[in-house]
Amino acid sequence: MTQEDDDDRKIEILPPGESELDIADAAEEVEEAARSLPAPRTEPPPQVLVAFPLRRSVPFPSLIMPVHVEEGPETDIMEKALAQGKMVGLLPAPGADGPAMPTREDQFSRIGVLAEVHKRIRLPDGASNYICRGLKRFQVTKFARLTKVPVIHVEYPQEVYPGDQESEALVRNVLALAQKVAAHNPGLGEGFSLAALNIEAAGHLADFCAAYLIKSPTEKRAVLEQFHVRDRLRSVDEYLTRELVSLELGDRIQAEIRSRVEKQQKEYFLREQIKVIRRELGEEKEPQEQDRENFLKKLEEGVWPAEVERRVRDEVERLGMIPQASPEYSVVRGYLDWLVGLPWSTASEDRIDLERAERTLDRDHFGLKEAKERILEFLGVRKLRPQHRGAILCFSGPPGVGKTSLAMALAESMGRKLERMSLGGMRDEAEIKGHRRTYIGAMPGRILQMIKRAGTNNPVIVLDEVDKLGNDYRGDPSSALLEVLDPAQNHSFLDLYLDIPFDLSRVMFVATANVLSSIPGPLRDRMEVIELPGYIEEEKLRIAQRHLLPRQTKEHGLEASRLKLPPATVRALIRGWTREAGVRGLDKAIASLCRKRALELARRKRPAPVLQPKDLVKYLGPIKVPDEEVRLKPGVGVALGLAYTPYGGDVLEIECVSFPGQGKVQATGSLGDVMSESTRIAHAYLRAVCADHGLDCAALDKTDLHVHFPAGAVPKDGPSAGITVAIAMLSRLTGRVMPPRTAMTGEISLTGEVLPVGGIREKVLGAKRQGVRTVILPAENRSDVTEMDPAWTRGMRFLYVERFEDVAKLALRPAPRARRAPRAAKA
């Protein structure tokens, strides 16, 4: 007989790397050598042996086994044994690592088998198989030498076999189990069962079954080390019982799965079989237990605040008590996902390079010097003092001037993650502070959602369109933002879903707005406002040439040489098709030109690359924003004022007509309360000082005035049109007209004082875009003009007034006789 199992056949019996023919020849040679072995010796066993270390296989007495020996020190050991009586001690060495020979006592087992070496069979790769017959167990008393050829002193304890009924019962059990296990292994065949039946000694039967039927080397060594036969039989009985149960369970599982699947589902069948086997063996855990272990593992791997760690452990313990089918289970599991998913202690490192930041800002934005300077100031302070929290910035200006892209450039220059949230139309404060977990489908607010998505606790969060937050009976999200944007409170921001304070002090918030007056006062006070004015024509020209045209040609697949816009064409495009504060409309117009040119090229036409101003009508249609003469050359009863709108500054035309009545005034044009009051104040002032302006006071009391603000569908409000309304009324009553290309702004009081107003920069830029050359301003707004960029005011004349008398002298002149209006009708 030869000791063979799957592990030994791969490791000890046959060397790796041989061809199939070589393996078959070697196996036949081993079997032939085993049949020709002589009878075992009868002389007393030696007390000193040459020890051969077995790294993986386990020897047993009364069995013949081929020992695979590599060329080198192992061959020397076997040759030494052959030279000294052909006796060798086969000693397991479970502690040996790698191919090197073991050299320490703790690497060897203390129980081995005395074996007689009968024959050496050389293999093609240079290694050899030595045919050995196991004779007797021994116990090592001393390791005489462990280098080169190991030498050991041994003794041979007597095997104890009580021969009682229990032992006999164990023998029968082992024999029956061996036959059943062998029946599940077709490789053993009928010869194994016959050989087992012919074994008379109980100890040999246990060794025989352990050698062939037990696969684990550890369990084999446990059998080898037992000298008491009854204990040995009991161990083999236990191992074979487990093996048989596993085999029968595998057969049952295989039959169960095979009945459920079809032949075409082989891959599915294999996966299901592995799954069921693991579940039956207890290797696959229940989903509930897996969830608990995953959360606890994440807790051990990360760094968490004490309150978060305590809450996670409490919720994990609670999760284990909730049935998985309960709806509460998914609620608790989702809450734990958020707790361990937020970056409580993960922050990105700021990489502040002021020169690189300045290059980034100049690359993406033209002009905007004040905004860029403020951003660089912030970065400079953060570089000197990294823990500086800094102010919460708010970029305010008309659409299309680059507010959101400035925030993106700020995040890029700091090396931080960027998250953006549009607040336009938001009416529910739960979007900011989250929902309580008592509600179905509850989630944290958008702030924590963005932080989790960024993966760091210090991203740049852009709060876009903060001036368009809703506020009605459904909620007030602007009040919820008070805690978020307050540096004194946001270090312990409490989301209603999370119910644990989260530190927002390291987050950099950047808000954008079109109209500051729409932002509630308390929220506006928490932010540092940086106003971004609209662009003048020259700036738009450079933006179009440097940024818009190259980007649009690239997006539309055009080469730069296919479409060229000279400065004159861009200026005509700005004046006639895209009159605005920003450059968004200009970008759309250039995109339209690119599409038209791409269509021409696709049709294999060869248009001239340079587009002249006269060609714009062909590509874009008629001029969309004509220069209306009535605005720049107002008639009697018409005055030009300056207004500040969400889209930048604009020229506001105010019309006034008179007719017999009772001295009343009426204002139309979708006006707010403040502008309506300004109209009544202007009328009351003119009635009070009618004589000073050459008016017939008695006739004025019997004349009604109707003041109209064109574009009646557009809401208008504010006090800055006060002097403009008064000039329109005075022009109608006196027949005088305003000089061409002249506009004004200022609030009027009942005593005739001209009070300062806001939005001067935007109004001046709007006037310049509309072709206004002379601007009348309150004297107290002189400083606003001096602080403006000289390029913005070049070619314009500013007149400053303190009282309405000064406005009337500068803004009205006699009209031509044909256009002079009649005085108010007399009673």
Side-chain angles (χ1 to χ4, degrees):
M1 295 293 176
T2 59
Q3 178 186 353
E4 296 179 5
D5 55 47
D6 293 341
D7 295 338
D8 295 341
R9 188 175 293 116
K10 293 179 182 177
I11 299 174
E12 295 293 339
I13 296 177
L14 297 177
E18 296 181 318
S19 66
E20 295 183 1
L21 182 59
D22 295 335
I23 293 174
D25 295 343
E28 291 178 1
E29 194 171 355
V30 169
E31 292 181 2
E32 182 180 355
R35 287 194 296 267
S36 62
L37 291 181
R41 298 184 180 183
T42 57
E43 60 265 21
Q47 303 297 315
V48 179
L49 294 174
V50 175
F52 185 85
L54 294 176
R55 292 178 174 83
R56 294 178 177 86
S57 61
V58 179
F60 285 96
S62 302
L63 297 178
I64 298 173
M65 61 180 294
V67 178
H68 182 74
V69 179
E70 297 289 346
E71 189 70 24
E74 294 184 353
T75 304
D76 296 340
I77 295 174
M78 282 301 189
E79 292 299 323
K80 186 71 172 178
L82 287 172
Q84 295 182 357
K86 297 185 179 181
M87 293 294 181
V88 66
L90 299 180
L91 192 61
D97 298 327
M101 292 290 291
T103 57
R104 303 192 313 272
E105 294 183 10
D106 59 351
Q107 293 178 306
F108 289 91
S109 177
R110 291 298 190 272
I111 307 298
V113 172
L114 172 65
E116 182 180 3
V117 183
H118 288 278
K119 187 177 180 180
R120 177 183 183 182
I121 302 174
R122 298 182 183 274
L123 301 177
D125 64 347
S128 301
N129 275 342
Y130 285 84
I131 307 302
C132 300
R133 185 204 304 270
L135 300 177
K136 197 170 187 179
R137 279 179 174 81
F138 65 76
Q139 183 172 357
V140 179
T141 59
K142 180 181 178 181
F143 288 91
R145 183 175 64 194
L146 292 177
T147 58
K148 295 184 179 179
V149 179
V151 178
I152 56 176
H153 293 263
V154 300
E155 62 180 8
Y156 303 91
Q158 293 294 324
E159 292 189 354
V160 179
Y161 180 65
D164 53 4
Q165 292 182 353
E166 182 181 354
S167 300
E168 294 298 329
L170 286 172
V171 170
R172 290 192 295 270
N173 285 348
V174 168
L175 186 58
L177 289 170
Q179 291 175 335
K180 292 180 180 179
V181 173
H184 286 79
N185 192 345
L188 293 177
E190 297 181 358
F192 176 85
S193 299
L194 294 175
L197 290 172
N198 292 328
I199 297 176
E200 298 180 358
H204 291 169
L205 177 63
D207 293 341
F208 181 77
C209 294
Y212 283 94
L213 301 179
I214 297 178
K215 295 182 178 181
S216 171
T218 303
E219 295 176 352
K220 286 184 177 182
R221 286 195 298 271
V223 174
L224 176 65
E225 293 172 358
Q226 291 176 349
F227 289 92
H228 199 292
V229 177
R230 184 172 59 191
D231 294 340
R232 193 187 310 165
L233 288 168
R234 185 178 290 110
S235 298
V236 174
D237 188 305
E238 179 183 349
Y239 296 148
L240 292 181
T241 301
R242 285 209 303 264
E243 182 69 15
L244 181 61
V245 170
S246 179
L247 292 172
E248 291 177 348
L249 180 60
D251 291 342
R252 189 175 73 249
I253 293 172
Q254 187 174 6
E256 175 187 346
I257 297 175
R258 193 181 297 273
S259 64
R260 294 203 318 259
V261 299
E262 297 179 358
K263 295 180 181 180
Q264 298 90 344
Q265 298 173 316
K266 182 178 180 181
E267 182 179 357
Y268 173 80
F269 160 73
L270 293 174
R271 291 177 179 173
E272 284 293 314
Q273 185 180 32
I274 293 173
K275 182 177 179 181
V276 174
I277 290 174
R278 288 181 175 175
R279 186 185 302 119
E280 292 289 344
L281 295 178
E283 296 177 1
E284 183 176 337
K285 298 178 181 177
E286 292 294 328
Q288 189 173 8
E289 184 63 24
Q290 285 184 349
D291 288 341
R292 296 179 69 252
E293 290 187 0
N294 289 338
F295 288 126
L296 292 176
K297 182 180 179 182
K298 291 180 181 179
L299 196 63
E300 297 298 332
E301 292 176 351
V303 179
W304 313 91
E307 186 174 357
V308 175
E309 183 174 356
R310 179 184 57 80
R311 180 68 64 87
V312 170
R313 294 190 184 278
D314 291 345
E315 293 295 328
V316 167
E317 183 177 353
R318 182 184 173 199
L319 191 69
M321 296 184 293
I322 301 175
Q324 190 176 359
S326 172
E328 184 69 14
Y329 183 87
S330 60
V331 174
V332 176
R333 191 184 185 282
Y335 180 63
L336 283 169
D337 279 334
W338 275 101
L339 281 180
V340 301
L342 286 171
W344 298 91
S345 304
T346 304
S348 59
E349 183 179 356
D350 289 343
R351 300 188 300 273
I352 298 177
D353 184 346
L354 294 179
E355 294 182 358
R356 182 171 65 89
E358 189 171 4
R359 289 196 302 270
T360 302
L361 294 173
D362 291 338
R363 178 197 67 195
D364 298 336
H365 304 83
F366 183 84
L368 307 179
K369 294 182 179 179
E370 181 180 348
K372 293 179 181 178
E373 188 67 24
R374 180 62 187 88
I375 291 175
L376 292 176
E377 290 173 2
F378 173 82
L379 296 178
V381 174
R382 181 60 67 95
K383 185 174 183 179
L384 295 179
R385 190 170 183 267
Q387 64 272 22
H388 174 71
R389 296 180 179 178
I392 296 172
L393 304 180
C394 177
F395 296 137
S396 172
V401 296
K403 300 184 295 297
T404 304
S405 58
L406 264 180
M408 295 178 179
L410 173 61
E412 179 183 350
S413 62
M414 296 181 67
R416 290 192 179 188
K417 296 289 186 66
L418 175 71
E419 293 292 332
R420 176 182 171 273
M421 176 173 62
S422 178
L423 301 178
M426 185 181 294
R427 299 179 181 275
D428 188 1
E429 62 269 14
E431 293 283 341
I432 305 296
K433 294 183 68 69
H435 301 81
R436 296 190 182 277
R437 282 186 289 155
T438 53
Y439 295 99
I440 297 177
M443 290 185 66
R446 296 275 297 278
I447 299 295
L448 290 187
Q449 291 181 33
M450 289 188 292
I451 290 177
K452 181 181 179 181
R453 188 164 54 244
T456 62
N457 60 12
N458 62 340
V460 175
I461 294 182
V462 180
L463 304 176
D464 226 351
E465 310 294 349
V466 71
D467 58 323
K468 297 177 179 59
L469 282 170
N471 182 5
D472 56 17
Y473 66 93
R474 287 171 286 186
D476 184 11
S478 61
S479 298
L481 279 177
L482 295 178
E483 180 183 2
V484 175
L485 301 182
D486 190 348
Q489 300 181 42
N490 62 9
H491 65 277
S492 58
F493 171 71
L494 186 64
D495 186 275
L496 296 180
Y497 177 86
L498 208 62
D499 200 26
I500 296 179
F502 190 91
D503 187 4
L504 296 180
S505 61
R506 305 188 66 181
V507 178
M508 182 174 184
F509 291 98
V510 179
T512 67
N514 297 131
V515 183
L516 288 176
S517 59
S518 301
I519 304 175
L523 183 59
R524 187 169 60 245
D525 292 341
R526 284 165 166 78
M527 301 182 291
E528 179 178 343
V529 178
I530 299 177
E531 296 186 3
L532 276 64
Y535 296 110
I536 60 175
E537 183 178 298
E538 189 64 27
E539 290 176 334
K540 289 184 179 181
L541 172 63
R542 296 186 183 180
I543 292 172
Q545 292 177 333
R546 294 183 184 181
H547 302 285
L548 303 183
L549 181 60
R551 178 167 58 83
Q552 290 295 347
T553 53
K554 181 179 180 181
E555 289 184 0
H556 290 81
L558 294 175
E559 297 178 1
S561 59
R562 295 289 190 175
L563 179 62
K564 296 181 180 179
L565 299 180
T569 304
V570 178
R571 286 192 175 94
L573 186 64
I574 294 172
R575 295 170 184 171
W577 280 268
T578 63
R579 188 171 294 175
E580 57 180 346
V583 293
R584 192 167 291 162
L586 180 60
D587 189 32
K588 295 178 181 178
I590 293 177
S592 179
L593 293 176
C594 291
R595 290 194 299 271
K596 302 288 186 182
R597 178 54 52 90
L599 179 59
E600 290 178 340
L601 295 175
R603 290 176 173 173
R604 298 189 177 184
K605 296 182 180 180
R606 294 184 178 180
V610 179
L611 205 63
Q612 300 297 336
K614 62 182 180 180
D615 300 327
L616 292 178
V617 176
K618 171 186 173 182
Y619 284 90
L620 301 179
I623 294 176
K624 297 180 180 180
V625 190
D627 193 2
E628 301 177 5
E629 293 185 4
V630 66
R631 290 198 169 191
L632 300 181
K633 296 180 181 181
V636 176
V638 179
L640 299 184
L642 298 178
Y644 176 67
T645 70
Y647 305 98
D650 197 7
V651 176
L652 182 66
E653 179 182 352
I654 300 177
E655 303 170 338
C656 179
V657 295
S658 61
F659 44 86
Q662 300 177 355
K664 297 181 180 179
V665 62
Q666 181 182 4
T668 57
S670 187
L671 307 181
D673 294 338
V674 177
M675 187 167 282
S676 299
E677 290 177 356
S678 296
T679 303
R680 293 195 295 270
I681 290 172
H683 184 248
Y685 170 73
L686 290 179
R687 292 183 63 178
V689 295
C690 56
D692 297 340
H693 294 282
L695 298 175
D696 187 345
C697 298
L700 188 60
D701 291 338
K702 298 180 181 180
T703 303
D704 286 352
L705 297 178
H706 184 167
V707 180
H708 178 64
F709 296 77
V714 180
K716 310 172 188 68
D717 202 5
S720 60
I723 62 173
T724 312
V725 172
I727 288 296
M729 293 179 180
L730 189 59
S731 172
R732 171 56 61 186
L733 294 174
T734 62
R736 293 186 290 172
V737 296
M738 286 185 61
R741 298 184 182 273
T742 301
M744 66 190 71
T745 183
E747 180 181 355
I748 188 173
S749 70
L750 279 174
T751 59
E753 293 184 8
V754 179
L755 305 179
V757 293
I760 295 298
R761 177 169 50 185
E762 288 75 15
K763 292 176 180 178
V764 170
L765 289 175
K768 187 178 181 67
R769 284 194 301 271
Q770 298 282 31
V772 174
R773 297 291 178 262
T774 303
V775 179
I776 300 175
L777 298 175
E780 294 185 28
N781 286 121
R782 186 189 298 268
S783 59
D784 296 325
V785 177
T786 57
E787 292 177 359
M788 295 173 64
D789 192 322
W792 299 348
T793 59
R794 188 177 295 117
M796 300 185 70
R797 184 166 66 108
F798 295 91
L799 304 176
Y800 301 99
V801 294
E802 295 182 352
R803 295 192 57 80
F804 181 75
E805 291 83 356
D806 303 329
V807 180
K809 292 177 183 179
L810 297 173
L812 292 178
R813 66 181 183 181
R817 185 175 301 275
R819 297 179 60 183
R820 184 181 300 273
R823 290 185 177 273
K826 295 184 179 180

